[in-house]
């Protein structure tokens, strides 16, 4: 496989996609004639220009109304380093190199833990800069090892059907214990509680049956909320939510 540079839309999560960066100059913006078009009302029609020359990737702000930020610093022109995070309006993109086979147009709803951690960090940085709240829901349940893949799939479907498209979640398992982590972004406390209670109720009232065997999964739930995020808030939020289980 050949590695190539890409931009991954990290936020908003419902717009996640991976965009290969071609050789030469490409315009990023919300205009119809932009090479990389963003659905973002705070982005200028021609917001910035990305210029690839071999291994070198440079980013140039095109006198945009709201500015272009790289790793939380406003720039006029900069050479991008791998894993740099670019903020354009309310959109966050990450620059990285990937194998060509990875360049799918969408990413799965249930994220791998390392991807979840990376995206959560990006959302936390954006939320901190814009004084926005974040909430965390932690779910733990248990079952015999043979039933864990079945339960993981079923619970993930329930969470996906109840959560907002913009909210991220992941799952992990160890010794018959399943853990789910959901990051709820930019809702007031009462709104975040309403969403997470909806998920809790759906899981508690669901009958998990495998080949006519009714499973007792003993679900436990923890919730944590921060009125104003900080760049490293996600770890603390999930630690606080887990402590309530």
């Amino acid at each position: 496989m050949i590695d190539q540079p890409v931009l991954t839309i990290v936020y908003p999560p419902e717009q996640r996609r991976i965009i290969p960066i071609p050789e030469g100059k490409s315009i990023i913006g919300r205009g119809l004639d932009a090479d990389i078009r963003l659905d973002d009302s705070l982005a200028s029609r021609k917001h910035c220009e990305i210029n690839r020359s071999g291994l070198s990737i440079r980013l140039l702000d095109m006198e945009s109304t709201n500015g272009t930020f790289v790793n939380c610093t406003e720039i006029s022109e900069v050479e991008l380093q791998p894993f740099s995070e670019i903020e354009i309006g309310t959109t966050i993109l990450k620059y990285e190199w990937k194998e060509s086979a990875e360049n799918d147009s969408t990413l799965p709803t249930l994220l791998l833990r390392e991807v979840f951690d990376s995206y959560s960090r990006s959302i936390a940085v954006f939320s901190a800069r814009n004084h926005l709240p974040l909430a965390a829901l932690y779910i733990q349940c248990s079952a015999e090892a043979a039933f864990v893949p079945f339960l993981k799939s079923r619970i993930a479907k329930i969470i996906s059907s109840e959560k907002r498209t913009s909210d991220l979640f992941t799952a992990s398992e160890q010794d018959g214990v399943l853990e789910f982590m959901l990051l709820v972004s930019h809702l007031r406390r009462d709104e975040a509680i309403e969403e997470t209670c909806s998920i809790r109720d759906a899981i508690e009232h669901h009958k998990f049956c495998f080949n006519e065997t009714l499973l007792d999964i003993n679900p436990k739930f923890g919730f944590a909320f921060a009125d104003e995020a900080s760049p490293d808030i996600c770890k603390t939020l999930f630690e606080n939510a887990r402590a309530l289980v």
Side-chain angles (χ1 to χ4, degrees):
M1 298 295 177
I2 300 174
D3 280 1
Q4 63 174 308
V6 301
L7 293 174
T8 301
I9 295 182
V10 174
Y11 189 87
E14 65 269 23
Q15 295 185 25
R16 283 195 301 272
R17 58 191 170 108
I18 298 174
I19 307 162
I21 303 172
E23 278 285 344
K25 297 179 180 179
S26 300
I27 303 299
I28 304 174
R30 63 177 173 84
L32 294 176
D33 55 347
D35 301 298
I36 299 174
R37 192 176 175 216
L38 302 179
D39 184 11
D40 189 329
S41 61
L42 295 183
S44 298
R45 288 180 173 81
K46 293 185 177 181
H47 196 101
C48 57
E49 175 187 281
I50 192 164
N51 189 350
R52 175 187 174 189
S53 178
L55 300 178
S56 174
I57 310 288
R58 298 192 66 83
L59 188 69
L60 170 70
D61 182 75
M62 300 182 70
E63 299 183 353
S64 62
T65 301
N66 294 309
T68 301
F69 294 79
V70 174
N71 298 329
C72 301
T73 300
E74 187 168 8
I75 61 98
S76 55
E77 184 175 3
V78 70
E79 180 158 358
L80 295 176
Q81 301 302 316
F83 308 110
S84 293
E85 291 180 351
I86 305 164
E87 292 181 48
I88 299 172
T90 60
T91 303
I92 303 174
L93 307 97
K94 179 172 287 188
Y95 159 60
E96 51 196 334
W97 285 74
K98 286 183 176 292
E99 290 184 350
S100 56
E102 295 181 83
N103 292 328
D104 302 317
S105 60
T106 59
L107 299 174
T109 301
L110 179 61
L111 300 173
L112 296 174
R113 179 59 187 271
E114 57 269 26
V115 178
F116 175 84
D117 289 343
S118 175
Y119 287 6
S120 295
R121 162 91 180 156
S122 299
I123 292 172
V125 168
F126 173 82
S127 302
R129 199 162 67 83
N130 292 279
H131 311 289
L132 296 169
L134 289 175
L137 175 65
Y138 174 80
I139 305 168
Q140 184 186 95
C141 57
S142 57
E144 294 180 25
F147 299 131
V148 165
F150 165 77
L151 282 176
K152 184 177 181 180
S153 174
R154 284 297 177 90
I155 295 174
K157 287 181 179 179
I158 292 173
I159 295 172
S160 292
S161 68
E162 296 292 333
K163 77 178 187 69
R164 298 180 306 161
T165 306
S166 58
D167 294 332
L168 305 178
F169 79 109
T170 189
S172 60
E173 56 190 84
Q174 186 174 4
D175 299 327
V177 176
L178 265 174
E179 295 181 322
F180 291 86
M181 298 164 60
L182 173 73
L183 183 67
V184 181
S185 54
H186 312 159
L187 290 182
R188 299 191 311 266
R189 179 186 291 270
D190 59 326
E191 295 172 328
I193 290 174
E194 181 179 356
E195 176 177 329
T196 54
C197 283
S198 174
I199 294 170
R200 180 201 63 194
D201 292 345
I203 292 173
E204 287 184 333
H205 295 146
H206 188 85
K207 291 184 178 180
F208 295 92
C209 295
F210 185 83
N211 290 341
E212 300 184 356
T213 300
L214 182 62
L215 306 180
D216 180 11
I217 67 171
N218 189 28
K220 299 176 183 178
F221 305 86
F223 173 82
F225 182 84
D227 288 296
E228 190 168 310
S230 64
D232 299 314
I233 193 65
C234 293
K235 181 180 179 181
T236 302
L237 276 175
F238 284 109
E239 286 177 348
N240 291 344
R242 186 182 287 112
L244 297 174
V245 169

